Amino acid sequence: MAGDEILYMHDICKDYVMADSVLHVLKNITLTVRKGQFLAILGPSGSGKSTLMNIIGCLDVPTSGDYWLAGRYVADEDETSLSHIRNREIGFVFQSFQLLQRQTALENVELPLIYANMPEKKRKERAQECLEMVGLSDKMDNYPNQLSGGQQQRVAIARAMANHPSILLADEPTGALDQRTGAQVMELFHELNDEGNTIIMITHDSKIASHAKRIVKILDGVISEGDTSDA
Amino acid sequence: MFVESFRMALRNIKSNKMRSFLTMLGIVIGVAAVIGLVTIVQGVTSRVMDEFSDLGAGMMSVSAPGTALKRGLTESDVETLRAIDGVEGVSPNLSTTGSAVKNREIFDNVTIEGDDLSYFQRNSSMLEEGRIFNASEADGNTYVCMVDKTFVTKVLNGTDPIGQTVRLNGIEYTIIGRLGANNSMMSMSDTSNSDGTVYLPYRNVMHMTGTAQIQSLEVYTKDGADSSAVESALRAALDRIYNNADNAYAVINMESLLSVMDTVSGMLTTMLGGIAAISLLVGGIGIMNMMLVSVTERTREIGLRKALGAEPRRIQIQFLMESILLSLIGGAIGIVFGLLIAFIGSSVLNTTFRISYGAIALGAGFSAAVGIIFGWMPAKRASELNPIDALRAD
């Protein structure tokens, strides 16, 4: 892995064993991402894009192949190690926001910091910082049901940034939002990327994908078209 | 890490108070029942044992009706019993009803009780005024007596009894003392028609009733004597006196009664312990059920926490903390209610209310154990959830 590469995958395969056959979901995927890139992985449903995202995000391990993330080999780690890696290196943004309903915006943003064993005072400061960064410091003590969809997603983005992750990994981030709010969220992504954050976005919508500076297309478990090395 | 898990657990329990309460209800009831019942039982037995001890330490009561050939014990038989090693005293007990005449008024419902000097020496707290007869006055030819409060009220019209004379069954007696409540198990129960009780040396009563046979007595053992050894010697002597006849006598040894009580109390407590274990088991199953439901309902949340970096162990600890906390809080509430029940119960039954810290500690300990044991499986299940699948759950 070269100095400014944040992610390097080589010959990644993922198979699912069914009752009477084996399903090859990912077939020899090779992918390099540099620090600070804004990458979109574009594919229809069933293309394997979700599976690829799970492997990138260390929620799953490949059946075979190599994966280096932030200089560390992560293809064969156990769940406990993976959870640490996720905590430190990956900032997830989900289509359905995935905020804890019974906790305030601030408490939601604190969550990854709790799992990073950050002391309480420092945690609250950092969480407030992140909410400021997405422009929601005044909604600190609100519960998710008191926030609009766009606001909830922005809280989720604040949460994703809390631990200074290597990669911001967004799965259909605007899927549950209307056009206007979606555009606001994409604007926020641009800002974050301008500040040097690496963003990988998974989507089936080519309009959304075009916000990114680099598009990788995936179909039937194979990366096709677009760049497989950095632009 | 444990502090955060504890806080999270507490928050989750508080966030759904109704469900949390219903979950711990089993434990609350179980612990309350056990603490309440055990405390009451211990209060009752300790009260009974105390009373028995007062009455019975070092005392055996003998009922010796005898046989057709020999109806009761003679004075010389009593002397034989007195000579047994370890015996401090023997008090024959004879009772009859008689009449008292005072100021030309006849009272014919007077209880006349005859005992030995040793009886009054043993129950010296009975004496409230005046004195007990002495050894020389117990020969049967002197006419002194003690009376009780009822006698003073009814026969003497409340006047000071000491020094007064009264005619009992025709013979004039001088009253030398007044006695209070009688603790002896041998005394006849007080009826409201009674004109009171008069206490005489037993020989006087024997002369009065014209009987030379003693059928009822109390045997007192010396301090430190082995009561079962004395009981054996006593039985042997009585067998000799009655020529080994069947059913000639009965000996009730208070000390053996006390140890039987102790054993019974122990068995009761153990039984209650068994019931406690069962009810805690049921309570624990309730907790396990609720935790399983909780895990299922919070699958998405668990998936998210894992995605954000929670290790499987951390999830496990979080859910274990919840079940332990539920059990402990349930146990604490149960202990409070249990003590309340015990307090009310002991007031109603008029027994001592003694808090058993052992039972409380046991209740708390068992609650925690139940929380760990019955929370283990749901917590393990939560920790093993696949985050990808979990995030997809609804």
Side-chain angles (χ1 to χ4, degrees):
Chain A
M1 236 177 108
D4 61 344
E5 282 172 8
I6 197 84
L7 181 158
Y8 175 60
M9 283 179 153
H10 178 70
D11 264 349
I12 291 287
C13 295
K14 181 69 182 176
D15 302 328
Y16 286 116
V17 180
M18 316 285 272
D20 51 352
S21 57
V22 177
L23 199 62
H24 301 289
V25 182
L26 295 178
K27 302 163 189 165
N28 300 92
I29 305 251
T30 295
L31 178 68
T32 307
V33 179
R34 281 214 149 97
K35 237 185 258 187
Q37 277 193 334
F38 189 167
L39 165 71
I41 297 179
L42 175 65
S45 56
S47 56
K49 66 182 193 297
S50 301
T51 309
L52 180 57
M53 184 196 74
N54 289 335
I55 292 182
I56 292 175
C58 296
L59 283 169
D60 199 0
V61 285
T63 310
S64 66
D66 305 313
Y67 177 17
W68 277 274
L69 175 63
R72 184 180 162 165
Y73 189 74
V74 298
D76 56 3
E77 295 285 20
D78 66 355
E79 173 56 24
T80 301
S81 311
L82 285 179
S83 68
H84 295 154
I85 294 165
R86 289 195 297 265
N87 180 254
R88 279 197 312 268
E89 313 290 1
I90 310 281
F92 285 101
V93 179
F94 300 98
Q95 178 173 346
S96 55
F97 324 139
Q98 297 278 20
L99 296 178
L100 293 181
Q101 298 299 311
R102 284 186 257 120
Q103 301 200 14
T104 64
L106 187 71
E107 287 163 351
N108 268 284
V109 176
E110 275 186 89
L111 207 46
L113 302 171
I114 291 178
Y115 293 129
N117 295 317
M118 196 181 274
E120 188 178 351
K121 190 151 168 278
K122 212 163 150 227
R123 234 170 42 210
K124 293 219 183 291
E125 276 171 18
R126 175 64 189 155
Q128 280 178 14
E129 239 177 73
C130 292
L131 279 172
E132 248 179 71
M133 180 170 57
V134 302
L136 285 174
S137 359
D138 57 332
K139 301 282 184 211
M140 216 164 59
D141 298 318
N142 286 55
Y143 290 89
N145 63 4
Q146 296 169 324
L147 301 171
S148 71
Q151 289 169 332
Q152 288 185 57
Q153 191 64 297
R154 282 192 287 161
V155 172
I157 294 171
R159 177 181 68 190
M161 297 303 302
N163 251 338
H164 300 285
S166 299
I167 297 178
L168 193 60
L169 191 55
D171 179 17
E172 304 280 10
T174 58
L177 305 172
D178 62 58
Q179 279 262 46
R180 201 172 61 90
T181 328
Q184 283 175 0
V185 166
M186 291 316 301
E187 182 54 43
L188 183 52
F189 275 178
H190 282 298
E191 277 174 38
L192 291 171
N193 182 236
D194 288 340
E195 287 164 17
N197 293 293
T198 312
I199 302 181
I200 299 180
M201 190 169 61
I202 320 290
T203 182
H204 68 276
D205 185 337
S206 50
K207 284 221 302 282
I208 297 290
S210 62
H211 280 269
K213 300 210 181 80
R214 175 186 166 197
I215 298 179
V216 165
K217 292 191 186 164
I218 180 170
L219 189 62
D220 284 333
V222 174
I223 293 185
S224 65
E225 294 182 48
D227 302 316
T228 49
S229 60
D230 41 297
Chain B
M1 168 172 60
F2 285 102
V3 174
E4 276 309 321
S5 300
F6 177 81
R7 277 196 191 158
M8 273 189 207
L10 202 56
R11 178 191 288 147
N12 281 323
I13 291 176
K14 279 206 288 208
S15 73
N16 197 336
K17 292 201 179 78
M18 179 53 115
R19 171 201 278 185
S20 301
F21 175 69
L22 287 174
T23 305
M24 37 169 136
L25 202 52
I27 305 258
V28 170
I29 294 176
V31 171
V34 163
I35 300 262
L37 289 174
V38 166
T39 310
I40 291 179
V41 162
Q42 290 195 339
V44 168
T45 48
S46 86
R47 161 106 184 270
V48 174
M49 303 251 288
D50 284 347
E51 293 210 1
F52 264 110
S53 300
D54 282 345
L55 298 174
M59 188 261 274
M60 283 174 240
S61 77
V62 179
S63 138
T67 60
L69 292 177
K70 184 178 163 66
R71 286 198 183 292
L73 304 167
T74 61
E75 278 266 25
S76 73
D77 291 330
V78 174
E79 225 32 65
T80 315
L81 297 181
R82 283 203 178 101
I84 294 176
D85 194 24
V87 169
E88 190 173 73
V90 176
S91 171
N93 179 286
L94 294 96
S95 292
T96 182
T97 327
S99 64
V101 181
K102 179 77 188 173
N103 296 335
R104 285 185 235 268
E105 247 189 292
I106 302 179
F107 303 88
D108 51 16
N109 206 349
V110 177
T111 308
I112 299 178
E113 190 176 308
D115 299 297
D116 183 52
L117 185 53
S118 57
Y119 173 86
F120 297 103
Q121 284 167 339
R122 207 147 216 274
N123 297 308
S124 52
S125 54
M126 277 171 75
L127 182 66
E128 286 179 3
E129 219 193 314
R131 64 176 182 89
I132 310 286
F133 55 80
N134 56 39
S136 61
E137 287 163 336
D139 62 356
N141 296 316
T142 320
Y143 302 100
V144 293
C145 69
M146 294 90 74
V147 299
D148 74 350
K149 246 186 271 218
T150 316
F151 190 89
V152 170
T153 316
K154 289 243 174 109
V155 179
L156 303 178
N157 246 332
T159 52
D160 182 18
I162 312 297
Q164 292 200 48
T165 57
V166 64
R167 221 162 244 288
L168 293 171
N169 284 4
I171 305 173
E172 194 174 271
Y173 277 82
T174 310
I175 303 174
I176 57 168
R178 181 172 64 81
L179 302 179
N182 190 338
N183 279 335
S184 167
M185 304 234 328
M186 304 292 288
S187 66
M188 299 200 292
S189 50
D190 206 9
T191 63
S192 48
N193 283 332
S194 167
D195 290 320
T197 309
V198 181
Y199 299 89
L200 310 179
Y202 71 92
R203 290 191 185 98
N204 293 54
V205 180
M206 284 170 80
H207 293 168
M208 223 183 242
T209 55
T211 176
Q213 273 128 358
I214 296 160
Q215 295 186 322
S216 164
L217 34 90
E218 286 182 8
V219 176
Y220 308 116
T221 52
K222 289 193 177 122
D223 272 338
D226 177 2
S227 101
S228 31
V230 174
E231 183 183 339
S232 307
L234 182 62
R235 286 177 183 277
L238 285 166
D239 279 329
R240 276 195 298 277
I241 292 170
Y242 283 119
N243 246 326
N244 292 317
D246 292 327
N247 298 325
Y249 66 88
V251 175
I252 302 175
N253 185 347
M254 288 306 164
E255 307 241 346
S256 356
L257 269 186
L258 277 175
S259 74
V260 166
M261 275 239 77
D262 211 27
T263 311
V264 169
S265 162
M267 279 166 56
L268 251 175
T269 309
T270 308
M271 238 180 57
L272 282 174
I275 296 178
I278 294 175
S279 63
L280 277 176
L281 185 72
V282 172
I285 291 176
I287 289 196
M288 183 164 73
N289 263 344
M290 273 329 293
M291 292 310 299
L292 279 172
V293 168
S294 187
V295 168
T296 304
E297 284 189 352
R298 288 152 69 185
T299 301
R300 216 151 77 121
E301 177 191 325
I302 295 170
L304 174 69
R305 287 177 185 269
K306 287 193 160 202
L308 294 180
E311 311 161 16
R313 163 138 265 136
R314 189 116 183 210
I315 301 280
Q316 188 178 12
I317 290 175
Q318 185 189 330
F319 278 86
L320 257 182
M321 282 260 182
E322 271 186 53
S323 61
I324 292 174
L325 255 178
L326 276 171
S327 307
L328 278 179
I329 295 175
I333 297 177
I335 288 174
V336 168
F337 270 113
L339 289 177
L340 199 65
I341 292 173
F343 182 72
I344 295 174
S346 56
S347 308
V348 165
L349 295 172
N350 201 14
T351 60
T352 34
F353 172 64
R354 197 191 304 147
I355 300 181
S356 165
Y357 291 104
I360 292 179
L362 216 58
F366 269 115
S367 299
V370 162
I372 296 175
I373 294 172
F374 287 94
W376 187 266
M377 194 267 271
K380 194 92 178 94
R381 187 177 281 197
S383 74
E384 285 169 356
L385 282 178
N386 180 312
I388 299 172
D389 299 328
L391 280 165
R392 271 204 291 261
D394 40 35

